[in-house]
Amino acid sequence: MKKIYLSTLLTLLLISTCYLPTLFAQSVGMPEGAIARLGKGRLFDLQYSPDGTRLAVATSAGVWIYDAITYKALALLTKHTVSIECIAFSPGGKTLASADEKGFIHLWDMETSKHKRALKNHIGIISIAYSSDGGTLATGDRSGTILLRNLWNRGTIKKRIHKGPGYIYSLAFSPQDAILASGNGDGTVTLWDAETGELNRTLNRHTSYVYSVAFSPDGKTLVSGSADKTVRLWDAETGELQRAFIKDIDRTRSVSFSPDGSLFAAGDDTGTVHLFHAGTGERMQTLKGHTDRVLTTAFSTNFRTIASGSRDGSIRIWEVASGENIHTFAEHYGNFSCFAVSADGRTIVSVGRDRNVCLWDATSGKLQKIINRKGISHVIDIALSADGKTIVFEGSGGIGLWDTETGTRKQTLKWFFGDLWSVAFSPDGKTIAGGNNTKTLYVWDADTGDKKHVINEHKANVVDVAFSPNSKTIVSVGQDRTVRLWDTETGEQKKVINIPENSVFNVAFSPDGKTFTTVNYTDKIHLWDVETGAQKGLLEGHEQHVTAIVFSPDGKMLATGNQRGVVNILDVRTGRLLQTFAGHVNRVDRVAFVSDGSALASMSDDDGILYLWDVAISE
């Protein structure tokens, strides 16, 4: 059996190497004005095109289209404003459907990479499938509802199936389009009449969420993967359980059949992809390399390779015959929750929701190092020391100071309680300030980790902190609509400024330390005098919902980010708009200049990308 299996694969391998497509540039999908892109968005789903030439990857930044042979990026499809949960190719491969957590479905022409049509669901979509004749598109959502859309009639809804309660995690049409299978949040696999929407039968042997279902190419067998740490094979006609795979399998989020039906794959939460022989149940390969849960798997149509995508931010391409990892896409690190730029402007440090700390070269945008913090909770804010040698953020065991060279913890800050919402290093490197969800401002000695001050004057959460350039003043922002200035050494309060409108989102000092600015999700940018606390300027009207702000190193410009994902460069004195950069899919959460002011970094928590923008202004 294995000799025949390997011989077939080697023949297909020789055939596949004859395909030599054109190479494409690395700048695919780069917005105008961007000089570097750090990361490619959080990974959710991937699919090979029916002809095997392309690999589509659904992310928080859009749908990436890769050449399946050369692994070069061909296109980035951007229309969604939130994460894309699932994708599906039409049977002929001419159309790709992508669906997101807001319920939008976008159809794409794969020959041109152009947008064809948008459809809207009433709730976020988490599963999608094409019928084999290409005429029906099925979607499953969080309410337990399945919609069948007639694509030959502009996507109108022809059937609504309410399974409820619980999510419809996965959908699959049988090859003959007679049955639609759904993997459900209540632990069942349900078989529906694909034409009438009537219930055919319910398969009840799983005891937890069924994350994935797939039909064999002949339609006789159905495989299901579940959170109950089992994979099960079913007779698709009778619903009888044929075999259960339990040993050495964890929670399984993805199952898929090989094109000839001889194998099926199961990707689990240990980061392992298991390949089983569908006829005998023998485990043919165990593919190890991912460091976090496998979210999705797909066989290439030539049966040479299988692709797997993981929460660790990587996509791995495996040779089926040997089990060798022949290529890795390592740019899908997850949504960045925060970032900081070193004082010399050479390094950017970012934290992703994949729980990795990434250090990047700010000039080239190349990844230099990853500090893996597996098991540590979501980081809201991070700070980098002026010399770039130390990072501070909250993790297991409290707020830690980490060495950027070795990735090891150097120090733990003492006497902290609650969740760290904001943190900053003083420019002289001697002090750290942090605000949290217990209405408290903490100030620590950066060398010893001992507390210097614990201040409880705010009446609500402390959402942002910043040091003056001379390190003598700390400004803190609370959700109580106050901005407070403190003496770094004594902890005494210098000024209290009441903000009349929304709570402040972000605060920044001017390079000379005489001014600080605040934004509060309106069209207003407030400029304040550090010495008196009086308002000395107000810029307004040019944009709405400003969420992030920073001064340029020479103090002449302000960079802002807004709710629409746009970054603007303004003249501080006049408020005149100097430059606009549009590339993020949603709200810009943070902006920061590199030290010489020639480039600006921006981040959106939603799209999983850090952009570096060219801000050289011609006089």
Side-chain angles (χ1 to χ4, degrees):
M1 177 72 73
K2 285 189 176 180
K3 290 182 179 180
I4 298 173
Y5 162 72
L6 291 171
S7 176
T8 304
L9 286 172
L10 290 172
T11 302
L12 290 167
L13 172 60
L14 291 172
I15 295 172
S16 69
T17 56
C18 297
Y19 177 76
L20 298 173
T22 306
L23 300 182
F24 284 74
Q26 291 290 338
S27 59
V28 166
M30 193 80 81
E32 184 177 356
I35 54 179
R37 176 176 50 219
L38 284 56
K40 288 188 173 181
R42 183 183 178 192
L43 169 72
F44 288 89
D45 195 10
L46 59 80
Q47 296 290 328
Y48 277 103
S49 62
D51 64 2
T53 62
R54 298 178 186 180
L55 180 68
V57 181
T59 74
S60 53
V63 181
W64 285 95
I65 306 298
Y66 293 103
D67 187 295
I69 309 300
T70 66
Y71 311 121
K72 300 296 183 182
L74 306 181
L76 174 61
L77 311 181
T78 56
K79 205 72 173 177
H80 296 272
T81 59
V82 291
S83 297
I84 302 166
E85 297 276 346
C86 47
I87 53 176
F89 277 101
S90 64
K94 293 183 178 180
T95 302
L96 179 75
S98 57
D100 67 32
E101 58 188 24
K102 281 189 175 180
F104 281 96
I105 306 164
H106 292 289
L107 302 180
W108 306 89
D109 186 308
M110 282 293 93
E111 293 183 358
T112 63
S113 296
K114 300 295 184 183
H115 185 255
K116 295 173 66 174
R117 187 184 308 156
L119 306 170
K120 181 69 170 74
N121 192 21
H122 71 287
I123 199 169
I125 297 169
I126 54 176
S127 55
I128 193 168
Y130 264 100
S131 62
S132 61
D133 65 3
T136 302
L137 186 70
T139 57
D141 62 35
R142 289 174 168 81
S143 72
T145 300
I146 301 169
L147 296 181
L148 302 180
R149 296 176 181 273
N150 186 344
L151 295 181
W152 293 327
N153 188 21
R154 300 194 59 79
T156 56
I157 298 173
K158 62 179 185 179
K159 292 292 177 185
R160 183 185 299 269
I161 306 169
H162 184 65
K163 165 67 174 70
Y167 291 8
I168 306 296
Y169 282 109
S170 181
L171 290 169
F173 280 96
S174 66
Q176 299 79 22
D177 288 340
I179 300 172
L180 175 67
S182 65
N184 310 312
D186 62 1
T188 64
V189 177
T190 312
L191 305 183
W192 311 90
D193 187 296
E195 182 61 30
T196 66
E198 293 180 358
L199 178 64
N200 186 319
R201 57 175 48 88
T202 299
L203 314 180
N204 291 301
R205 300 295 289 275
H206 284 294
T207 59
S208 188
Y209 312 131
V210 179
Y211 286 126
S212 186
V213 292
F215 279 99
S216 61
D218 62 8
K220 294 181 179 179
T221 305
L222 181 75
V223 62
S224 58
S226 170
D228 66 5
K229 301 184 180 182
T230 71
V231 175
R232 297 176 185 270
L233 283 180
W234 312 85
D235 186 298
E237 291 185 4
T238 66
E240 292 181 4
L241 180 65
Q242 295 180 328
R243 185 174 287 112
F245 300 84
I246 299 173
K247 187 178 180 181
D248 300 325
I249 291 181
D250 206 273
R251 292 162 64 99
T252 301
R253 297 175 189 272
S254 178
V255 291
S256 54
F257 265 102
S258 63
D260 68 349
S262 64
L263 298 179
F264 69 87
D268 71 20
D269 275 12
T270 68
T272 304
V273 180
H274 308 268
L275 299 186
F276 294 97
H277 193 281
T280 65
E282 181 183 1
R283 195 185 306 258
M284 307 299 292
Q285 296 282 3
T286 301
L287 311 179
K288 292 182 176 292
H290 290 297
T291 59
D292 207 332
R293 66 182 57 162
V294 176
L295 302 173
T296 177
T297 58
F299 282 93
S300 62
T301 51
N302 64 12
F303 199 14
R304 176 198 170 197
T305 60
I306 182 171
S308 59
S310 167
R311 200 175 71 165
D312 66 9
S314 72
I315 299 166
R316 294 179 181 267
I317 309 297
W318 311 86
E319 190 174 77
V320 176
S322 66
E324 180 185 355
N325 182 188
I326 59 176
H327 186 77
T328 300
F329 300 92
E331 300 93 347
H332 297 279
Y333 299 103
N335 298 57
F336 297 118
S337 58
C338 50
F339 79 94
V341 180
S342 62
D344 62 9
R346 296 180 181 178
T347 303
I348 295 174
V349 58
S350 64
V351 182
R353 295 195 181 190
D354 58 359
R355 301 173 185 174
N356 287 325
V357 177
C358 298
L359 278 71
W360 312 83
D361 184 293
T363 303
S364 66
K366 299 296 184 182
L367 181 66
Q368 297 175 317
K369 185 179 297 182
I370 293 178
I371 301 173
N372 189 293
R373 304 175 304 105
K374 186 176 181 181
I376 298 178
S377 59
H378 177 54
V379 174
I380 298 175
D381 200 10
I382 191 170
L384 191 61
S385 61
D387 60 11
K389 294 181 179 180
T390 306
I391 314 168
V392 58
F393 56 84
E394 184 180 12
S396 60
I399 302 173
L401 277 68
W402 299 71
D403 189 294
T404 56
E405 285 296 317
T406 64
T408 57
R409 186 191 289 261
K410 300 165 62 173
Q411 183 65 268
T412 298
L413 302 182
K414 302 175 179 64
W415 300 103
F416 177 80
F417 301 95
D419 296 326
L420 185 69
W421 280 27
S422 54
V423 67
F425 252 108
S426 62
D428 63 10
K430 297 179 179 179
T431 310
I432 297 169
N436 75 352
N437 64 336
T438 67
K439 313 173 188 178
T440 307
L441 173 66
Y442 291 87
V443 184
W444 295 278
D445 184 291
D447 291 326
T448 65
D450 291 329
K451 66 176 180 178
K452 295 176 69 173
H453 314 296
V454 176
I455 302 169
N456 296 291
E457 294 298 321
H458 281 287
K459 308 304 180 187
N461 301 331
V462 180
V463 297
D464 200 16
V465 295
F467 282 92
S468 61
N470 63 9
S471 301
K472 293 182 178 181
T473 302
I474 302 169
V475 61
S476 62
V477 172
Q479 288 183 330
D480 55 4
R481 299 185 182 180
T482 67
V483 178
R484 300 171 186 261
L485 287 90
W486 312 89
D487 185 287
T488 302
E489 188 60 33
T490 67
E492 293 182 2
Q493 185 169 274
K494 295 180 174 183
K495 294 286 184 302
V496 180
I497 301 171
N498 293 297
I499 306 298
E501 297 171 309
N502 298 359
S503 298
V504 171
F505 269 64
N506 197 204
V507 63
F509 272 99
S510 62
D512 62 9
K514 297 179 180 180
T515 306
F516 70 92
T517 182
T518 60
V519 294
N520 59 349
Y521 202 61
T522 67
D523 66 342
K524 295 179 175 62
I525 299 169
H526 297 269
L527 300 170
W528 307 93
D529 187 285
V530 173
E531 186 66 27
T532 66
Q535 183 169 301
K536 60 191 296 186
L538 178 65
L539 309 179
E540 60 181 324
H542 73 281
E543 58 179 325
Q544 294 183 342
H545 300 158
V546 183
T547 54
I549 195 163
V550 68
F551 277 93
S552 62
D554 63 6
K556 295 180 179 180
M557 297 182 293
L558 284 170
T560 67
N562 66 28
Q563 175 68 17
R564 297 182 294 110
V566 175
V567 174
N568 287 321
I569 308 296
L570 310 174
D571 184 285
V572 173
R573 185 176 58 86
T574 65
R576 182 168 64 93
L577 181 64
L578 303 175
Q579 282 181 303
T580 295
F581 304 113
H584 291 292
V585 302
N586 214 325
R587 185 182 74 193
V588 177
D589 295 280
R590 191 167 300 201
V591 288
F593 278 95
V594 299
S595 57
D596 64 0
S598 63
L600 177 81
S602 66
M603 180 205 84
S604 170
D605 189 24
D606 289 322
D607 63 17
I609 287 178
L610 276 163
Y611 281 115
L612 284 176
W613 307 97
D614 183 357
V615 293
I617 306 292
S618 58
E619 300 293 339

